[in-house]
Amino acid sequence: MIPTGRLWALFALLAVPMMAAGFFPGLGGAVLALDALALALAVLDFLWARAVRLEARRVLPQRLNVGVPNKVELRLVHRGGRTARVRVKDGVPESFTAVPDEATLELPPDSETRWVYRVTPARRGRFDFTEVTARVSGPLGLVLHERVFPTTQTLSVYPDLRGASRLLLSGAALDLVNLGLRQLRRDGRGSEFARLRDYAQGDSARDVDWKATARRGRPVTRVLESERSQSILICVDAGRSMAAQVDGLTKLDHAVNAALFLAFVAVRNGDRVGLAVFADGVKTYLPPAAGRTQYRKMVDALYSTTPSLTYVDYLALFKELNVRLTRRSLLCVFTDFLDEEQASTMVAPLHRLARRHVPLCLSVKDTALQKLLRTPPPGPEESFQHAVASELLTDREVLKARVSQGGVQMLDVQPDDLSLAAVNRYLDIKARGVL
């Protein structure tokens, strides 16, 4: 039994005649009778609330996506002859944000009521939804009867694969005329023949197929596409600097989302894609392979990856890649450049790898530091923070300039742009025949 504000207000009103009974002894009996009546009404209200027959169950999607609102549904079945007023709250995992976190519902007689809310997971992995709590109000509104329904369910939180799909289907910055759903292809200065088409103004003379032109009696252009079955190795930094929060997600989450989007596009493009997750050593390694099975292996390997609070050993990573990668490959390294002392150790070995492979470093801009620099410091403490942020960003730019030398390509973009920027750079490298 949980008293409501209405019951406490009733007791507060009864306190007035109780105090008056101290001056007028004849009122004592009447006050006791009123108190007994209030208690009787509260007990009766509680019995009515407890008699309400109620069932609850939760409907979850097959999987949740990190960093985005996911729909969850609660179904309340009321088996009774009068309307019931219920306040319901679901047992969401502690690291989730639920909106709204509870609701007050009017349940008609003999009905099933659905309450839909949304949860935003902050981390990937497996989580438990615990029991559903419902507080049924009596018809007088004096007390609540609390009930707990054992509806524990375990669910996996995956990277934001839906966001990657929306980007792919949106057509933003991607040539979806040639990037179809049935065949992912990007025409360019590749080495594989794609098709013949009529000559169009602006086509290069060296692209003209003279034999086909002679046969058809009109200029015909030979269209080449980027070579398939090339090797792409996606390296994801899972060190301590990737645990920093940027726009509601860790830098590692942004990197994982972009890595899986890039892997999806490369697999659809017929390329061989591999994965290396590293921190103070190589934690996970999947050799490059083609096909959807390889993509599913990458999803399974990345969905539970969490940042390790250790330094990053770039030398150990590049030594292992130097041994394992015998074929020229595109190395997409998702990492962070905020720790200059740590990141500077990658410069020399990365430049050595650039002699055999095509390295591409990708990082997320630290929006919190950028916002801090845009805000004028109002006091001494803020001025100190402003100076530190300025120094960190300056060192970051110097390090990026060092890394980008020696044939290493760089991408340093806003968190929301990382997935699209990575895929566009990959397609550009394919189109230029750099691999």
Side-chain angles (χ1 to χ4, degrees):
M1 179 187 295
I2 301 175
T4 65
R6 185 176 296 183
L7 181 59
W8 290 120
L10 179 61
F11 284 152
L13 290 175
L14 291 176
V16 175
M18 185 177 298
M19 289 186 292
F23 300 97
F24 304 98
L27 294 177
V31 170
L32 290 177
L34 289 175
D35 288 343
L37 178 60
L39 287 175
L41 290 176
V43 171
L44 184 61
D45 202 36
F46 172 72
L47 293 177
W48 278 337
R50 193 175 65 173
V52 173
R53 292 183 295 170
L54 195 64
E55 300 173 10
R57 65 188 181 94
R58 181 190 302 112
V59 179
L60 292 172
Q62 291 185 348
R63 62 176 62 177
L64 302 180
N65 295 275
V66 68
V68 297
N70 300 264
K71 186 175 74 171
V72 178
E73 182 180 291
L74 282 182
R75 296 182 180 178
L76 300 175
V77 179
H78 174 219
R79 305 186 187 281
R82 60 165 60 107
T83 300
R85 184 178 178 85
V86 179
R87 189 164 67 193
V88 62
K89 183 180 179 66
D90 200 0
V92 301
E94 186 177 351
S95 61
F96 288 21
T97 301
V99 178
D101 58 349
E102 64 177 41
T104 300
L105 306 174
E106 297 282 348
L107 308 184
D110 295 319
S111 64
E112 179 179 281
T113 303
R114 300 182 179 185
W115 174 51
V116 176
Y117 68 99
R118 297 187 182 275
V119 293
T120 304
R123 295 185 290 115
R124 288 167 285 106
R126 293 182 66 81
F127 299 91
D128 291 331
F129 281 77
T130 56
E131 65 274 357
V132 174
T133 302
R135 292 182 175 180
V136 182
S137 176
L140 301 178
L142 299 177
V143 296
L144 300 172
H145 177 234
E146 182 172 286
R147 307 181 188 186
V148 176
F149 298 93
T151 55
T152 301
Q153 292 173 271
T154 302
L155 201 64
S156 297
V157 177
Y158 280 81
D160 186 10
L161 304 180
R162 297 187 310 168
S165 301
R166 286 195 297 270
L167 285 174
L168 180 65
L169 297 176
S170 69
L174 292 176
D175 183 7
L176 287 185
V177 174
N178 295 318
L179 198 76
L181 292 177
R182 291 175 298 176
Q183 180 184 16
L184 185 62
R185 182 180 66 199
R186 187 180 180 93
D187 299 336
R189 301 301 308 165
S191 58
E192 292 189 358
F193 174 78
R195 67 186 188 279
L196 295 174
R197 60 170 174 79
D198 290 340
Y199 177 85
Q201 186 175 1
D203 287 347
S204 173
R206 61 182 178 179
D207 292 333
V208 174
D209 190 311
W210 298 107
K211 291 184 179 180
T213 297
R215 288 195 303 268
R216 298 186 183 184
R218 62 181 186 276
V220 175
T221 299
R222 183 191 304 110
V223 179
L224 301 178
E225 66 176 350
S226 301
E227 183 182 351
R228 295 174 178 271
S229 298
Q230 294 178 317
S231 291
I232 317 296
L233 184 69
I234 300 175
C235 306
V236 178
D237 179 357
R240 61 190 176 194
S241 62
M242 298 295 282
Q245 291 273 338
V246 179
D247 291 358
L249 294 178
T250 64
K251 291 185 178 181
L252 178 59
D253 282 317
H254 289 296
V256 166
N257 292 342
L260 288 177
F261 184 32
L262 175 59
F264 174 77
V265 174
V267 166
R268 291 288 298 271
N269 204 24
D271 284 329
R272 303 166 66 248
V273 186
L275 173 69
V277 179
F278 65 97
D280 53 347
V282 178
K283 306 296 185 182
T284 303
Y285 184 81
L286 296 175
R292 296 181 179 178
T293 302
Q294 177 73 355
Y295 178 72
R296 286 194 291 269
K297 289 180 180 179
M298 294 182 66
V299 173
D300 292 337
L302 285 174
Y303 105 93
S304 58
T305 298
T306 56
S308 301
L309 300 181
T310 61
Y311 71 97
V312 176
D313 192 345
Y314 292 103
L315 188 58
L317 168 69
F318 295 139
K319 278 185 177 179
E320 185 157 349
L321 297 187
N322 196 42
V323 174
R324 289 179 178 266
L325 287 181
T326 57
R327 182 177 179 178
R328 182 174 173 84
S329 306
L330 171 62
L331 303 179
C332 299
V333 183
F334 291 88
T335 188
D336 186 55
F337 297 100
L338 199 58
D339 189 339
E340 182 190 12
E341 181 179 355
Q342 174 181 279
S344 60
T345 61
M346 73 183 297
V347 177
L350 191 59
H351 288 170
R352 286 194 294 269
L353 274 177
R355 300 168 188 169
R356 294 178 52 196
H357 305 287
V358 182
L360 170 61
C361 287
L362 306 102
S363 63
V364 173
K365 290 182 181 294
D366 201 309
T367 54
L369 291 180
Q370 293 176 330
K371 183 179 180 180
L372 184 61
L373 287 180
R374 290 194 297 265
T375 305
E381 183 178 350
E382 290 77 9
S383 297
F384 175 75
Q385 295 175 353
H386 192 278
V388 171
S390 178
E391 183 178 355
L392 286 173
L393 292 180
T394 301
D395 292 342
R396 178 187 176 97
E397 293 302 318
V398 172
L399 183 59
K400 284 167 48 183
R402 290 176 56 197
V403 171
S404 59
Q405 297 171 357
V408 180
Q409 301 192 40
M410 276 290 307
L411 273 179
D412 188 30
V413 297
Q414 298 293 332
D416 292 340
D417 299 331
L418 184 61
S419 296
L420 197 56
V423 170
N424 279 339
R425 183 59 62 91
Y426 154 75
L427 293 174
D428 180 63
I429 291 173
K430 293 275 291 181
R432 291 188 289 112
V434 177
L435 281 176

